[in-house]
Amino acid sequence: MHSTPYSVSPQPLMPPQAPTKADPGSPWALVVGVIALVMAALGLLLTTTAGAQICALVRVGDSADPEGDALAPGMFAVLGLVAFVALLVALAPVFAGFDRGRSAGAWVAGALLPWALCFVLYFAMVGFGDDFDEVVRGSALLGFYSASALVLALLIGTILLGIRPGRRWLAHRVLARTAPAELGPEAPGPLRKAPRRFLVSLVLSVLGTCGSIGFYPLSAMGDDPDLGVLLGVLGAVALLFVVVPLALACLGAVRAREGRRGGARLARVLSAGPLVFLLLLALMAAFAGVISLIAPDGQVEAAVLPPGPAVAIGIALALTSLTAAGFVLASLAALADPRSDHYLTARRRMAEV
């Protein structure tokens, strides 16, 4: 049978072409973005130090409520330390030439931006207020200036690692060392794993949320008269900003695995909220455990769980939420992988023929 002038034979997926002179091969955006996030990591260390200093100074000072005044800077110090480790772990693969480090670094930096703004507000209120002595205000001013620089560094790193020049240079290198067999008509390995990773993060998020709701009444927070409202807000936040978005992101990743770029975009958009709120859930779980150590004796005695098990359970629940956030980051890195992008681009071109 002869083909008609209007018939078109299907086009196979072509292997990537080597970068040409016309390709934007400059690594400037990637290099500057990585430097910005390294500076952000240093800023996190400084804000962590400032928070720890304020926590220690308030507890040994003449504050009317040393436990209450030390709680916020102590939690900010813990959050800053966790964010510092997360940022370095996310960036590490970049130095080995893997694109997942670029993607994870950009998403971690974006998720930390709201928390960095909270650092700025807290340290500004303490440093420029009159509620504490000069020593505490001096530590708060260190935290304020460090947190302000942190916001700027996170913003620059998020933008430069996410824009096309920041992605293109590293993508060419990744595709250049990829075997042609891995760029065939089937979805590449990273894209096939993305739905399963989203599903694991969804399961861990549900377990962490349900565990926290059951744990709070047994901890030193159990006698709080507003605990019922807190648990209702926690459940609503987890459902609206974590569970539902992750379920839809999982479906979007499935569509992306079938060659639909719109599914990948949907999964990326819906993953921003869970990253921020999973960090909030981890912080609240850690708070519920740590408060058993610093709460007044009467409040500790009223708790069902003694301080030791309460701290252990709180840390375990916090690690559960952080692990769920890690699987979200792994899923996003799989969607942004150059091999996944090559596959989605080739499928779109075949559909347009």
Side-chain angles (χ1 to χ4, degrees):
M1 180 182 295
H2 297 285
S3 61
T4 66
Y6 301 99
S7 63
V8 179
S9 59
Q11 299 295 321
L13 293 178
M14 300 300 292
Q17 301 297 320
T20 63
K21 293 182 178 180
D23 293 325
S26 175
W28 70 268
L30 178 67
V31 172
V32 176
V34 170
I35 292 175
L37 292 192
V38 171
M39 298 303 295
L42 295 177
L44 284 169
L45 274 184
L46 290 175
T47 54
T48 299
T49 302
Q53 286 179 343
I54 294 174
C55 182
L57 291 171
V58 168
R59 287 184 64 85
V60 301
D62 55 356
S63 173
D65 183 14
E67 288 82 8
D69 292 337
L71 187 58
M75 295 308 298
F76 280 152
V78 173
L79 177 59
L81 184 61
V82 171
F84 169 77
V85 174
L87 197 56
L88 291 185
V89 171
L91 278 178
V94 170
F95 300 100
F98 293 103
D99 183 77
R100 60 176 176 267
R102 176 205 60 79
S103 174
W107 279 100
V108 169
L112 290 178
L113 267 173
W115 297 103
L117 292 173
C118 292
F119 290 168
V120 173
L121 292 176
Y122 170 76
F123 287 122
M125 288 189 297
V126 175
F128 296 104
D130 298 326
D131 297 332
F132 299 93
D133 58 32
E134 293 182 358
V135 178
V136 174
R137 292 202 301 269
S139 298
L141 289 177
L142 169 64
F144 171 74
Y145 294 122
S146 301
S148 300
L150 170 64
V151 171
L152 181 61
L154 289 175
L155 186 61
I156 293 174
T158 302
I159 293 174
L160 292 182
L161 293 183
I163 60 177
R164 189 174 182 83
R167 294 180 284 127
R168 189 80 179 267
W169 184 85
L170 190 57
H172 274 284
R173 272 82 191 153
V174 172
L175 290 176
R177 62 173 183 263
T178 301
E182 298 182 32
L183 301 172
E186 301 295 330
L191 201 56
R192 293 196 301 269
K193 296 175 183 177
R196 295 196 295 270
R197 291 172 178 172
F198 273 123
L199 183 60
V200 172
S201 67
L202 174 61
V203 172
L204 290 176
S205 300
V206 172
L207 291 177
T209 303
C210 294
S212 297
I213 292 176
F215 167 61
Y216 291 160
L218 305 179
S219 67
M221 297 173 59
D223 62 346
D224 190 337
D226 298 326
L227 182 60
V229 177
L230 175 63
L231 295 180
V233 172
L234 175 64
V237 166
L239 179 64
L240 295 178
F241 296 100
V242 179
V243 176
V244 173
L246 285 180
L248 295 177
C250 185
L251 295 178
V254 172
R255 297 286 289 172
R257 186 179 60 189
E258 297 171 353
R260 306 297 178 89
R261 185 176 289 275
R265 291 171 180 164
L266 177 67
R268 292 191 190 101
V269 170
L270 292 173
S271 298
L275 281 178
V276 175
F277 286 99
L278 281 172
L279 191 55
L280 172 63
L281 294 175
L283 188 63
M284 292 178 64
F287 167 79
V290 172
I291 198 175
S292 299
L293 295 177
I294 63 176
D297 293 338
Q299 189 174 351
V300 173
E301 293 174 358
V304 177
L305 293 174
V311 172
I313 294 175
I315 293 176
L317 291 172
L319 290 176
T320 301
S321 296
L322 291 176
T323 304
F327 274 99
V328 175
L329 287 174
S331 304
L332 292 169
L335 294 174
D337 190 279
R339 292 165 291 178
S340 301
D341 185 70
H342 177 273
Y343 166 77
L344 294 173
T345 301
R347 290 294 298 265
R348 184 190 63 189
R349 290 174 179 172
M350 288 179 61
E352 292 174 352
V353 173

